[in-house]
Amino acid sequence: MTVNKSELGKIVNGCLNNCRKSQQQLYDLLAPKLFAVCKRYAYSTEEAEDMFMEGFMNIFKSIGSYRSESSLETWAHSVMVHAAIDHIRMNHQLRNDLPVEELSESDDVWDNESVISALEAKQMLALLDQMSDNARVVFNLRAVEGYSFVEVAQMLDKKEGTVRTIYMRARKWLMERLKEK
C-alpha cells in the first residue's frame, strides 16, 4: 500500500483522533516492515509478535510526537526498535559482566550492506536467532540499525567498552558461520 503525502497526513490526523479506520490504514502501511524489525530482535515468532504489538501500541499512543521532518516510516521504525529493546529488558536478563577487550580501529566499523547482502533475509534471521540476547541486540543496533557504540551503550545502560566487546564477539561469531556456508 503506497500513499501520497496528503493521504498520509489524513491517516496521521485520523490516528490522532483515534479513528479506527485510520489506525488500520497506518497498520496496513507499516506492519510488514516493522514486523521484520521485531523478528531480528526476537528468539521466536511469538516473541516478535509480542514486541510488534507493544511497538504498535506505542506508535498509536505517541503519534502526536511525530513531526514530518523525517518520514513516518523512519519515525515508526525508531519507535519499534525501542519497543523491542524495552521488551528484551523486561523479559530477558541482559548481562553487563563481559570483560572489555582491546579493539583495533578496523573492529569499530562493519559495513551494514556487506553483511546483509552476504545473506538472504531468512538466513540472516536464522543466524540471529542462534545468537545470545546480548549479541543479537547489540549486533542489530550497531550493524543493522546503524547506531554508534555510544548510542547503543546508552540505550542498553551498558558501558561503551562492553558494547564494543559484545559487538566484536557477535561479528566474529557471524563471520565464522558465514565461512561455514
Side-chain angles (χ1 to χ4, degrees):
M1 176 179 168
T2 57
V3 295
N4 63 37
K5 197 169 186 172
S6 172
E7 291 170 3
L8 188 57
K10 289 177 185 177
I11 292 171
V12 170
N13 284 333
C15 289
L16 285 168
N17 294 315
N18 291 321
C19 171
R20 298 292 179 224
K21 181 180 178 187
S22 295
Q23 289 173 336
Q24 183 64 50
Q25 288 173 318
L26 184 66
Y27 179 91
D28 292 342
L29 182 67
L30 299 175
K33 288 183 180 179
L34 295 181
F35 187 70
V37 170
C38 295
K39 280 291 293 172
R40 283 198 320 265
Y41 287 92
Y43 265 129
S44 67
T45 300
E46 293 79 17
E47 184 176 41
E49 289 169 352
D50 290 344
M51 289 175 181
F52 178 73
M53 294 311 295
E54 291 166 17
F56 246 101
M57 294 305 295
N58 292 345
I59 287 169
F60 290 138
K61 280 189 235 175
S62 61
I63 192 87
S65 70
Y66 167 66
R67 302 290 176 252
S68 59
E69 292 103 36
S70 66
S71 75
L72 179 64
E73 188 174 309
T74 301
W75 174 82
H77 181 99
S78 177
V79 172
M80 194 61 69
V81 167
H82 284 88
I85 292 167
D86 289 346
H87 178 89
I88 290 167
R89 273 195 197 125
M90 297 283 291
N91 296 290
H92 299 278
Q93 185 83 25
L94 291 180
R95 294 177 24 192
N96 279 320
D97 59 351
L98 292 174
V100 176
E101 300 172 1
E102 291 297 315
L103 299 174
S104 69
E105 284 300 310
S106 65
D107 289 331
D108 285 349
V109 179
W110 189 15
D111 182 2
N112 302 356
E113 294 173 56
S114 67
V115 176
I116 295 168
S117 65
L119 293 172
E120 295 206 16
K122 286 183 182 181
Q123 292 172 312
M124 181 68 150
L125 288 174
L127 285 175
L128 289 175
D129 283 347
Q130 296 172 28
M131 286 183 173
S132 70
D133 286 340
N134 277 330
R136 188 178 63 253
V137 170
V138 170
F139 181 82
N140 273 312
L141 290 171
R142 175 72 179 139
V144 180
E145 305 293 345
Y147 289 103
S148 71
F149 287 116
V150 172
E151 292 169 320
V152 174
Q154 290 171 345
M155 292 169 92
L156 300 177
D157 194 29
K158 293 181 182 293
K159 293 180 182 175
E160 182 182 349
T162 301
V163 167
R164 287 178 181 268
T165 299
I166 294 168
Y167 176 75
M168 181 188 70
R169 289 178 180 171
R171 190 182 80 174
K172 181 179 177 185
W173 180 89
L174 185 60
M175 292 306 257
E176 288 170 358
R177 298 310 171 280
L178 288 173
K179 286 178 186 174
E180 292 171 6
K181 293 185 181 269

